Amino acid sequence: DKDFTALGVSYAVSEEMSVSLNTSTIDYEDSSKADQEAMGVSVSYVMGSMTLKANHNTVDNIAGAATDDRSGYALGLTFAF
């Protein structure tokens, strides 16, 4: 059995900029598995018809495996016409 807990917070710094922070944990009842923990942070900035977005995410102990950690990031620029 496992318990899942998640929390996310986002904040509009201004009309143009937003930031967010999210975290989650899976607590495994099986003591041979490590608890999986994830965290992500993102930011976006809008200037006219252009949006710049960035995020970074990490996951530790994937599926309870203490040696399986991963992270990733993305950067994007979009235009609306």
Side-chain angles (χ1 to χ4, degrees), residues 11 13-20 41-56 73-80:
Y11 180 69
V13 177
S14 66
E15 287 187 20
E16 295 85 15
M17 180 177 274
S18 297
V19 295
S20 67
V41 62
S42 64
V43 61
S44 66
Y45 182 76
V46 177
M47 183 171 40
S49 64
M50 185 172 57
T51 303
L52 178 63
K53 301 177 278 189
N55 66 55
H56 183 263
Y73 63 90
L75 180 62
L77 180 63
T78 57
F79 299 91

Side-chain angles (χ1 to χ4, degrees), residues 4-80:
F4 177 75
T5 306
L7 175 68
V9 177
S10 61
Y11 180 69
V13 177
S14 66
E15 287 187 20
E16 295 85 15
M17 180 177 274
S18 297
V19 295
S20 67
L21 177 66
N22 302 287
T23 183
S24 68
T25 303
I26 298 176
D27 295 320
Y28 292 99
E29 196 173 283
D30 183 351
S31 62
S32 67
K33 293 185 175 182
D35 293 344
Q36 177 176 307
E37 298 175 347
M39 187 179 82
V41 62
S42 64
V43 61
S44 66
Y45 182 76
V46 177
M47 183 171 40
S49 64
M50 185 172 57
T51 303
L52 178 63
K53 301 177 278 189
N55 66 55
H56 183 263
N57 299 290
T58 61
V59 182
D60 296 331
N61 309 324
I62 295 173
T67 58
D68 196 358
D69 301 338
R70 297 184 193 165
S71 67
Y73 63 90
L75 180 62
L77 180 63
T78 57
F79 299 91

